[in-house]
Amino acid sequence: MNRTNQSTVIKQAINSYLEKGLTDKQDIYSKVVDEAGVPRPTVRRVARDLRNELLTKIKILQSEIPQLESAASQEKDE
């Protein structure tokens, strides 16, 4: 399995466990290691990448909020 496919499988597994309600990071890592059969450092690296991707998306979404609020207040003023 190449690195891209492996990362995708690991990200999907992490998201799956998060959606199931697991909140303990170490528990999630252990389950992904068992499920995907990859070393723990690999899971940690992919989890870091996933976390950074999500934080980037959150920053983008948060940056739109002030623009929407100022546009709404301008509409009220008119």
Side-chain angles (χ1 to χ4, degrees):
M1 185 178 337
N2 69 31
R3 184 173 172 171
T4 304
N5 289 342
Q6 185 181 53
S7 293
T8 303
V9 168
I10 293 169
K11 286 178 187 177
Q12 288 173 343
I14 291 170
N15 280 322
S16 172
Y17 286 119
L18 289 170
E19 288 171 6
K20 290 178 184 175
L22 269 89
T23 56
D24 181 56
K25 181 170 65 171
Q26 298 305 319
D27 192 27
I28 292 170
Y29 289 174
S30 295
K31 290 181 183 292
V32 173
V33 166
D34 293 341
E35 179 183 315
V38 294
R40 192 175 194 90
T42 302
V43 174
R44 291 176 55 218
R45 176 187 53 79
V46 173
R48 182 193 67 225
D49 293 346
L50 177 60
R51 190 168 42 250
N52 290 337
E53 288 172 17
L54 292 172
L55 286 171
T56 301
K57 290 177 183 179
I58 289 169
K59 286 179 184 175
I60 290 168
L61 292 174
Q62 285 179 332
S63 69
E64 293 178 12
I65 293 171
Q67 294 170 355
L68 294 175
E69 289 175 354
S70 65
S73 66
Q74 285 176 356
E75 289 175 8
K76 288 179 187 176
D77 293 338
E78 293 175 358

